[in-house]
Amino acid sequence: MMNAFHLSACPPWRRLALLIGALVFFSTTAQAEPIRGAGSTFAAPILHLWSRDYEAIRTDGGDFTSPDWRVDYEPVGSLAGVMRLEQPETDFAATDAPLPAEELKKHGFAQFPIVMGGIVVVANLDNVGAGALRLSGPVIADIYLGKVTKWSDPAIKALNPDLALPDATIAVLNREDGSGSTLTFTGFLAKASPEWAEKVGAHTLIKWPLGTSEKGTSALASLAAATKNSIAYLEYGQVVRLGLPYATLQNAAGAFIQPSPESFTAGLEALAWDPATGAASTAVAGEKAYPMAVVTYAVVPKSRGEGRVNRVLDLFRVAFSRGGEAASALGYIPVPPALAGKIEAYWTANLGSVNN
């Protein structure tokens, strides 16, 4: 930087040019803002990793960086994330509960998938390893309704005749906040149990019949890990990273399926995302399909302006093209190239696009 002596030695026109340049530089720097997102706790681990990698890629090994290349993502839950779009500083929401076409049209939102995965049922039982316990939708519904209260209940024993289960009270754990994970879990229960469908239903935010509630995936995972004889529902990758024991679930075809990227992918083959409207179906089907596969969607307000919208698209373009290995390493399923191509065509048709 030029010091005061050198500046004073410059001709007046040069001093004026330098001062104007400095003002423009500092004005631009002051106006630069990070990309701001909020929502899904299910997708938070990969979004945080993509955010870190995005800045590194855009910096390209140089010393110069910009707030425009940083991402400020708050894992507040899918419902709260969508509500944050009412705040003008929020650039996108991430939700595991896709908005219907009429809501997208009403609010001027675009919606597209960004990552996939699964919700698993955790059962913290001594001497019962991952995948050893078998559970069905009707039995889990009865546990969360308070009708099955012991791990030694005949309904659980019938599914696990060769498994030594404790005569212990089941500690029921759930999410307190509005969550796409809750929608996936309660949707599974509603399809399996008419009583659950009638009394509770499938929603992002539930008035639970019983149990202990926590806000966010991380808090619920910590509680499940610390609570013996507990049952909870959590994101697969986090469960694997924490070493929590999960159950094998019975799907709609009657098969007992362990959670894995392969069984999630089998369940997501029925994914119907409409590139004309941005709306999506959450149907999970197939004999080899795990019954609680999840897709996280980005919801982007078109009203944010071309510059801000294009920064969000740039973030996810880089994630699709260079973030697949990171997603797989965390237990997610990255968006496949064919679907990524359809998403970028949707951007061009609905949002404009950037070419970086």
Side-chain angles (χ1 to χ4, degrees), residues 184 191 252 263-264 266-268 270-271 281-286 289-294:
T184 299
K191 290 175 183 176
S263 62
F264 301 153
L268 291 165
L271 169 66
S281 165
T282 56
V284 175
Y290 183 78
M292 286 199 288
V294 178

Side-chain angles (χ1 to χ4, degrees), residues 279-328:
S281 165
T282 56
V284 175
E287 185 176 344
K288 297 181 179 180
Y290 183 78
M292 286 199 288
V294 178
V295 180
T296 301
Y297 296 82
V299 182
V300 182
K302 300 177 185 180
S303 61
R304 294 299 186 256
E306 182 178 357
R308 288 176 62 185
V309 168
N310 278 348
R311 291 195 307 150
V312 175
L313 303 189
D314 188 40
L315 166 66
F316 288 113
R317 175 179 281 110
V318 170
F320 293 159
S321 64
R322 303 176 68 169
E325 288 188 9
S328 297

Side-chain angles (χ1 to χ4, degrees), residues 98-237:
L99 300 181
E102 56 270 23
E103 286 294 308
L104 296 172
K105 184 177 181 180
K106 176 182 177 181
H107 297 289
F109 293 160
Q111 177 174 263
F112 51 89
I114 55 174
V115 75
M116 312 173 194
I119 299 298
V120 303
V121 172
V122 168
N124 188 354
L125 301 172
D126 287 336
N127 303 315
V128 178
L133 179 70
R134 290 186 168 196
L135 292 175
S136 66
V139 169
I140 299 171
D142 283 347
I143 291 172
Y144 274 79
L145 287 168
K147 297 174 67 176
V148 171
T149 61
K150 298 259 189 181
W151 284 111
S152 57
D153 188 281
I156 301 177
K157 288 294 295 180
L159 297 174
N160 301 276
D162 300 323
L163 200 61
L165 294 170
D167 185 28
T169 299
I170 302 171
V172 177
L173 311 179
N174 50 56
R175 285 281 291 272
E176 179 181 343
D177 52 328
S179 163
S181 298
T182 297
L183 176 65
T184 299
F185 178 66
T186 56
F188 168 64
L189 298 187
K191 290 175 183 176
S193 166
E195 184 177 359
W196 182 274
E198 178 185 350
K199 292 183 177 179
V200 184
H203 305 284
T204 55
L205 189 62
I206 291 292
K207 184 177 181 181
W208 296 99
L210 76 163
T212 302
S213 300
E214 276 286 3
K215 286 186 178 181
T217 298
S218 295
L220 184 57
S222 297
L223 182 62
T227 307
K228 290 295 182 184
N229 303 311
S230 63
I231 188 170
Y233 58 95
L234 293 162
E235 179 261 319
Y236 169 76

